[in-house]
Amino acid sequence: MKARIKWVEDRTFVGESGTGHKLVLGTSHGEGGKTPGPSPMELVLIGTGGCSAYDVVHILEKGREAVEDCVVELEAERAETEPKVFTRIHMHFVVKGRGLSPAKVQRAIELSIGKYCSASAMMAKTATVTHDFKVVDTTIGQ
């Protein structure tokens, strides 16, 4: 895996993945506090949620569950001193589909966080990673 980060100006950088995808990242600098894009630590958190969401959808589809949507909302706390690593991460999954089995959704989440998601495994080295979930049955009311 490769990546390249180029400084643009102030606290603005452009990251490019080895597959050619680019994104702007940075932190606030000076008055106004506007950020040009997500901070590097926000990207780590987003990557963790994306890794797990991908796994959950894949596991459910492989189990022939009729998953239609998966959202992961993350809340995290960081250490107060440098390096300000994540110390707590909570992942709230909202999984929608037709007749989804809550037990299968729970198992998919547990497999992702505990076995398959590399990002969650790395975060668990410094943070307590917790999760909960909600299943929304889209067949109700139809």
Side-chain angles (χ1 to χ4, degrees):
M1 184 176 292
K2 292 185 177 187
R4 180 174 186 265
I5 311 300
K6 179 167 179 10
W7 178 44
V8 177
E9 64 182 359
D10 296 325
R11 298 294 180 266
T12 303
F13 297 82
V14 173
E16 183 175 0
S17 68
T19 55
H21 299 279
K22 293 181 181 181
L23 59 101
V24 175
L25 61 142
T27 58
S28 62
H29 180 70
E31 291 187 38
K34 292 186 178 182
T35 61
S39 73
M41 290 304 284
E42 287 173 319
L43 287 174
V44 169
L45 192 61
I46 290 168
T48 301
C51 179
S52 194
Y54 177 91
D55 288 343
V56 168
V57 169
H58 179 74
I59 293 165
L60 291 172
E61 286 179 338
K62 196 171 179 180
R64 301 190 190 281
E65 290 292 304
V67 62
E68 296 173 358
D69 192 25
C70 180
V71 175
V72 185
E73 299 167 350
L74 295 96
E75 288 187 21
E77 294 175 5
R78 294 176 61 192
E80 293 184 21
T81 58
E82 302 291 343
K84 295 183 179 181
V85 297
F86 288 111
T87 57
R88 183 191 70 79
I89 299 172
H90 181 74
M91 304 171 79
H92 175 69
F93 292 80
V94 179
V95 185
K96 295 179 182 179
R98 295 178 312 278
L100 290 175
S101 162
K104 288 183 180 180
V105 170
Q106 180 175 355
R107 180 74 175 136
I109 292 167
E110 289 171 354
L111 282 170
S112 173
I113 293 172
K115 183 174 182 179
Y116 295 115
C117 178
S118 304
S120 292
M122 288 188 295
M123 295 299 99
K125 299 290 185 188
T126 63
T128 300
V129 180
T130 59
H131 67 276
D132 62 13
F133 69 95
K134 176 181 178 180
V135 174
V136 178
D137 188 343
T138 58
T139 60
I140 297 175
Q142 289 186 2

